[in-house]
Amino acid sequence: MITFFSEQHALHAPEFEFFRGERVPCFESPARAVFVRQQLLARGHTLREPDADSRPVLAQVHTPRYLAFLERAWSDWMALDPANCARQPFPSVWPVRTLRSDVEPLNFTARLGLYSMDNGSPLCAGTWAAAKAGADAAVSAVGLLGAGERGVFCATRPPGHHAGADFMGGYCFLNNAAVAAQALRQQGCDRVAVLDVDYHHGNGTQSLFYDRSDVLFVSLHGDPRTEYPFYLGHADETGAGAGEGFNLNLPLPAGSPACAWFDALEVACARMARHGADALVVSLGLDTFAGDPISTFALKADDYSRLGQRLAKLAVPTVFVLEGGYAAAELGVNAVNVIEGFEQD
Ligand code: SP5
Ligand code: ZN
């Protein structure tokens, strides 16, 4: 399968995140992409550098002030103190209920909190460049579907599905899956489906399309009552206004076995078939893997081939966008199993 891959991903390499009050190495690491690249090449897939500029589509997905903040965040951080080059910025204050988010503060940390849903998404000097390359990959992949390609894989990091119109979170900065969906709409697809199979609910993607009927959002994920992102992803979230009925959440209890996951996948596929989409975007998180260090589902390597085969049966041109998956050494095998399962069918 043609795969978009940029070495720019490696520019996003924060040193640590917080876990139970301690600094721990980031789960979302450059090594993840290295393993994916290695497995793609070993199994004969073609890697291409993204060649589209996602900026026009990004402007339709994210707000101007969020994009401006993200692009300049590192230089603003450095401007506060040259010693910040060796420090990671983290938010420490957020505009929760009753506080105002319409006025952008001048203070850097206050702006970082305004544009963040958690303190778990560390920024570094190359975050914007890496994230932008991922969004460029999503738009490039859509161009290939327009040219008749049946499936294209974006082997991108950092991931995107937790990022909303004006916030980062969950290791995500720019919502690559939403960028792909929006680019497909612009390219003339009247109906698009986004299937999110990451262990964590794709709150950003859901929120971006919640009031729209042209982009169906379907997600299989750990029950947010116990799993990140906690504040979205419940079964009663079915869409709003014109989008009523075009959002389907299929939360599963933490620790669910693979058979329950595949049962939910059937429900998801039935809903997508009914939508009659012209194109499909798959938010391909692989943190449903039994060996994932931060998740509790139990899929094995072969289950990813089965997932790819099942998605091929939808018979719709498909863009796969890499999301989570933190068992780095197994990530390449699992990702390539999905895309080869898809091609096999
Ligand atoms: C894209 C993606 O998969 N983002 C996930 C973000 C998860 N952030 C919260 C991490 C909290 C880790 N808790 C681990 C509990 C292990 N027992
Ligand atoms: Zn995840």
Side-chain angles (χ1 to χ4, degrees):
M1 186 178 289
I2 296 174
T3 299
F4 285 100
F5 183 92
S6 170
E7 292 296 346
Q8 301 274 99
H9 83 82
L11 298 173
H12 178 65
E15 273 176 50
F16 66 87
E17 64 181 84
F18 291 109
F19 181 61
R20 295 180 182 159
E22 308 281 342
R23 294 170 182 218
V24 301
C26 290
F27 290 101
E28 201 291 289
S29 66
R32 299 175 62 242
V34 172
F35 282 110
V36 173
R37 179 180 183 278
Q38 178 200 16
Q39 198 59 211
L40 285 161
L41 292 175
R43 290 160 71 174
H45 298 273
T46 316
L47 298 187
R48 288 196 196 173
E49 197 71 31
D51 52 5
D53 179 8
S54 58
R55 223 174 254 276
V57 189
L58 280 172
Q60 297 186 326
V61 168
H62 296 287
T63 65
R65 67 178 197 170
Y66 174 63
L67 290 170
F69 172 77
L70 192 61
E71 186 167 6
R72 290 170 214 155
W74 190 260
S75 55
D76 287 358
W77 173 241
M78 292 284 289
L80 289 177
D81 179 350
N84 280 352
C85 66
R87 297 183 183 130
Q88 288 178 199
F90 285 94
S92 56
V93 60
W94 287 268
V96 299
R97 293 155 300 283
T98 75
L99 301 181
R100 285 179 68 172
S101 50
D102 58 321
V103 183
E104 189 184 69
L106 297 174
N107 178 278
F108 177 82
T109 304
R111 285 190 290 137
L112 184 56
L114 172 62
Y115 295 122
S116 300
M117 62 176 278
D118 63 14
N119 81 332
S121 310
L123 279 164
C124 68
T127 298
W128 169 262
K132 171 68 164 52
D136 289 350
V139 176
S140 303
V142 166
L144 285 190
L145 289 202
E149 210 62 39
R150 187 168 160 262
V152 181
F153 178 39
C154 300
T156 51
R157 65 166 289 279
H161 74 150
H162 295 303
D166 65 354
F167 60 88
M168 63 188 83
Y171 316 141
C172 300
F173 301 90
L174 298 175
N175 194 317
N176 304 316
V179 164
Q182 186 61 29
L184 283 161
R185 288 286 295 112
Q186 292 243 250
Q187 193 167 276
C189 293
D190 291 331
R191 282 179 220 191
V192 175
V194 179
L195 174 65
D196 191 320
V197 298
D198 189 279
Y199 177 79
H200 306 96
H201 176 252
N203 62 284
T205 317
Q206 169 172 314
S207 66
L208 284 162
F209 298 114
Y210 204 63
D211 60 359
R212 287 170 54 171
S213 59
D214 56 335
V215 179
L216 170 70
F217 179 73
V218 181
S219 181
L220 267 69
H221 51 268
D223 189 330
R225 287 179 294 184
T226 61
E227 305 308 291
Y228 187 91
F230 307 116
Y231 309 112
L232 209 66
H234 303 279
D236 66 352
E237 298 156 13
T238 55
E244 181 59 56
F246 293 88
N247 195 89
L248 177 61
N249 283 328
L250 300 165
L252 294 165
S256 289
C259 58
W261 193 88
F262 278 101
D263 286 349
L265 180 66
E266 284 311 310
V267 177
C269 287
R271 179 66 189 90
M272 290 190 288
R274 189 156 65 81
H275 187 57
D278 307 307
L280 171 65
V281 177
V282 179
S283 262
L284 184 60
L286 296 144
D287 38 14
T288 50
F289 180 56
D292 194 89
I294 67 169
S295 308
T296 72
F297 287 171
L299 272 65
K300 301 279 181 21
D302 288 347
D303 290 321
Y304 293 104
S305 310
R306 181 177 164 194
L307 168 60
Q309 287 167 13
R310 182 65 186 86
L311 296 179
K313 289 209 197 315
L314 295 169
V316 177
T318 301
V319 177
F320 293 91
V321 180
L322 185 63
E323 301 282 4
Y326 307 102
E330 289 92 349
L331 187 67
V333 171
N334 293 341
V336 179
N337 281 359
V338 175
I339 68 168
E340 289 189 353
F342 183 88
E343 283 180 322
Q344 234 171 59
D345 183 83

